[in-house]
Amino acid sequence: MASDPYAKIVDTEPALVRTIGERLEVRAAHPDQRAMLDAYLADIVWPQDARVVEIGCGTGPVARALASRPEPGAVLGLDPSPILIERAKELASGLPKLTFEVGDARNLAQADATFDVVVFHTALCHIPGPEKALAEARRILKSGGWLAVFDGDYASATVAIAEHDPLQACSRAVTDHNVMDRWIVRRLPAMANAAGFNITRFRSHGYAEVVDPVYMLGHAERGAEVLAAQGVIGADLAEALKREARRRVTDHAFFGHIAYASLVARKP
Ligand SMILES: C[S@@+](CC[C@H](N)C(=O)[O-])C[C@H]1O[C@@H](n2cnc3c(N)ncnc32)[C@H](O)[C@@H]1O
């Protein structure tokens, strides 16, 4: 959607960019998020001392995880937001393999055939012109290099516990508001193929939050705020929907789920 604050991150209000940065760190800290990252990174046959770039790194939690692994020799994190890159540098002190630069996926400054692995982690769905980003990824990869794309199948995001659950309207509103293309993973195999990659693995990863929900609870609450900001509902109903989401947590009745998907492919 045109409203996606990530898709126009350079023009997004600095206070919101900082809040986004905090949310990215909270999300990445969840053990199940880390397990999904480790699962798809295991689908890569890692070259020794691999040169790795994470495109759309935000504050860098995934780049830090990559730099903490034994296989990469060097990890570069790229993001168009100078605010997020500055925060990424602060958080990465003490990781000598890791550097960050400002950069746009669709027009990279990196030279041809210089990386062994390119990672897009929940970034491609926010990039206007993902085909161009994949073409750039292919250009900077060495022959035989690995592309790893992980993204939410946001069309599947749900906090509903029954038919006609009003909280689902919140889920739908927040994904429509924050994700440029909520269907992208379903077209990803065809896009990667058209960009000249050979797919080696595509798989689904289920993510559920039931006990102590953080990401999906925030998802429901922000959806209520989006609906109020759009004038679809009033402030009182938005507050009531947020209270209902929190009541479910207290009553052990909260359910949040999103499917993620990963694609691992090689440049011939
Ligand atoms: C949901 S965040 C993911 C950040 C990080 N990969 C993570 O998982 O924590 C999406 C990121 O894509 C970045 N982004 C948006 N447009 C971009 C572009 N044209 N090129 C590269 N990154 C972009 C945003 O700035 C944001 O940091």
Side-chain angles (χ1 to χ4, degrees), residues 6 9 27 54 56-58 61 79-80 84 104-106 121-122 126:
Y6 299 92
I9 195 84
R27 184 182 65 170
E54 193 214 345
C57 65
D79 201 279
L84 294 177
D104 189 307
R106 297 160 300 179
H121 189 98
T122 64
H126 296 292

Side-chain angles (χ1 to χ4, degrees), residues 166-181:
L167 282 194
Q168 188 58 20
C170 302
S171 172
R172 180 61 200 270
V174 79
T175 47
D176 272 358
H177 189 68
N178 283 331
V179 179
M180 169 98 199
D181 184 349

Side-chain angles (χ1 to χ4, degrees), residues 21-38:
E22 286 164 20
R23 286 187 197 139
L24 291 175
E25 290 295 322
V26 169
R27 184 182 65 170
H30 196 291
D32 292 351
Q33 291 282 347
R34 181 56 193 254
M36 292 189 288
L37 172 66
D38 290 340

